[in-house]
Amino acid sequence: KKGAFDSTKEDEMSNKNEVSEGIFGFSAKSLDLQKRLKAFMDEHVYPNERLIREQHSQLPNRWMVPPLMEELKEKAKAAGLWNLFLPFSENGAGLTNMEYAPLCEIMGRCLYAPEIFNCSAPDTGNMEVLERYGTPQQKQQWLTPLLSGTIRSCFAMTEPHVASSDATNISCSIVPDTQSSSYIINGRKWWISGAGDPRCKLMILMGKTSTSNHIYLQQSMILVPMDTPGVNIIRPLPVFGYDDAPHGHCEIELKDVKVPMENVLLGEGRGFEIAQGRLGPGRIHHCMRVIGQGERAIEMMVERVKSRKAFGRVLAAQGTIVETLAESRMELEQARLLVLYAARMMDVKGNKDKETRKAIAMIKVVAPRVGCRVIDRAIEMMV
């Protein structure tokens, strides 16, 4: 029937991106990992989504980790699907940003899936920082357990009293105490993702070590063990009433926190240099995960409109429904293309290149905007 939602339209709307391998020329290694990752998700992740939520709801404390999570992590390790994110390192899969991007999309289809493969933020960014800039001692103490998945970490940059999107405003003080060969840290951080997790043992903190140096040489990054006296988690910060436990996004007070001088990363005043190296890959990861969520939302919409009836016809036969699905497909494809372009630019020109930075700036707006629109449409389809 003309205008009906036939099988051809269904294939187009629920496209799972098989065509991408031909267009973008993903390497054989990336294609193999995509195939294995999809199989693992089908066998172990999707079937356990309900169970892991039920386990979490039955725990005596919301800030505890469901036992199933650790079981799935061990299965991922055994399957060779572990630490896939780390580029140009013997500790990771050695993938380029372009090769890793489709894996992020696959993992992003389930909110908790990246952790199963030890590929979740903020640990990925923190591990990259330690791999690139850490001393052998820092790597042994912190990178090794992070890579094994036995601990987790957080990244403390944003502050409540300043506009932290401009990192020159960061005011948390890191003051040297030469008598004890330590730094004394004072300040307040908030929206610190992962700080609520009981396995979170390390904070990488950005603060100010100088007020007189060049504006981009005043900030430093330093390693702060979470059990250091003076580190106080004030509260988890909810988003629209959701606390994201056991991960959490916390407000943290640091009062006279003393850490050894050797905990500073790369040296005083190198905070911006480290931050730029950290942000580029992370934005690719986040954006591709959002696209994965959008893909799953479209699939859910397709299934819904084939079974739901209104005004004597299934929703799939309604013109406005087909238009909604088409809009979602077009927007998501555009967003994916832009993110993959940014990933390719990073691989070819590096994330300090002007055009690369422009592409990264665009995707951090486009991907979440499209993701929100597609998911919002999916919610409307479900009522």
Side-chain angles (χ1 to χ4, degrees), residues 180-249:
S180 61
S181 297
S182 302
Y183 285 103
I184 308 298
I185 305 171
N186 282 282
R188 187 175 289 253
K189 300 287 185 177
W190 72 347
W191 298 110
I192 309 307
S193 298
D197 194 308
R199 300 162 298 176
C200 181
K201 304 301 181 183
L202 171 68
M203 176 196 311
I204 298 183
L205 178 138
M206 187 161 176
K208 183 169 287 190
T209 47
S210 170
T211 57
S212 58
N213 287 349
H214 184 278
I215 191 170
Y216 292 116
L217 297 175
Q218 296 180 9
Q219 313 290 343
S220 303
M221 288 196 189
I222 193 165
L223 305 176
V224 181
M226 290 296 286
D227 60 0
T228 306
V231 176
N232 301 307
I233 296 179
I234 303 300
R235 56 173 176 153
L237 298 165
V239 180
F240 297 120
Y242 184 58
D243 59 12
D244 204 14
H247 187 66
H249 311 281

Side-chain angles (χ1 to χ4, degrees), residues 40-58:
F40 190 98
M41 295 282 288
D42 289 339
E43 183 178 357
H44 299 294
V45 179
Y46 302 134
N48 282 307
E49 286 180 312
R50 183 184 297 272
L51 178 57
I52 205 165
R53 287 197 301 269
E54 290 175 353
Q55 281 191 356
H56 185 240
S57 68
Q58 293 166 5

Side-chain angles (χ1 to χ4, degrees), residues 7 12 21 28-29 74 120 183 209 236 242 295 323 333:
S7 59
E12 292 171 354
E21 63 186 67
K29 185 177 185 179
E74 290 304 316
S120 57
Y183 285 103
T209 47
Y242 184 58
E295 277 290 351
E323 179 183 355
E333 293 295 338

